[in-house]
Amino acid sequence: MQDVLTLISSLKRPTLLVRTARHGVEDYNRCVHLRRLLKTDAMPGPGKAIIKLMELEAVANEQRIAKRAEYSVARHIEILVALMCEARILKATKATRQRALAEAT
């Protein structure tokens, strides 16, 4: 299986969706937004959250492409914001682990 960060970087979405999502990154509140999007009380780690968000994003994107009535651009953007932020958290976590391993040796 591919690394989740590689999966995110391989996504190809309309520029306007991505630009709009970037504006929401600074207002992202993991506890509030992730719980609402994933409909859960238990907070998953960033890797698991990304996998679940990728599934939600795939559904939203399919709805967008098919021009389905239930497609919500606002929800799609919320999912993309969460994906971007969770990817940042995962990258920071990996970098911290690598630094700790380097210092331990």
Side-chain angles (χ1 to χ4, degrees):
M1 183 178 153
Q2 286 184 324
D3 178 29
V4 290
L5 295 175
T6 305
L7 288 174
I8 292 174
S9 66
S10 68
L11 285 177
K12 303 292 182 216
R13 298 298 179 256
T15 305
L16 186 57
L17 272 178
V18 176
R19 281 187 192 165
T20 305
R22 283 188 187 132
H23 287 285
V25 168
E26 61 190 59
D27 294 327
Y28 181 71
N29 181 326
R30 189 171 200 268
C31 293
V32 173
H33 296 108
L34 195 59
R35 280 190 177 136
R36 184 168 31 91
L37 286 169
L38 300 182
K39 297 176 181 163
T40 184
D41 288 331
M43 295 297 289
K48 288 184 181 181
I50 289 171
I51 291 169
K52 290 179 182 181
L53 289 167
M54 291 286 289
E55 292 169 1
L56 292 175
E57 197 281 331
V59 171
N61 197 53
E62 288 171 12
Q63 291 173 343
R64 177 187 66 82
I65 291 169
K67 298 181 181 178
R68 304 280 310 247
E70 63 267 18
Y71 173 69
S72 168
V73 69
R75 179 164 170 79
H76 199 169
I77 290 168
E78 285 179 317
I79 294 167
L80 290 172
V81 168
L83 268 172
M84 289 175 182
C85 292
E86 292 299 317
R88 286 182 179 182
I89 293 167
L90 185 61
K91 284 179 190 176
T93 303
K94 284 185 174 185
T96 302
R97 283 187 199 144
Q98 287 176 347
R99 276 195 302 272
L101 286 172
E103 290 173 2
T105 54

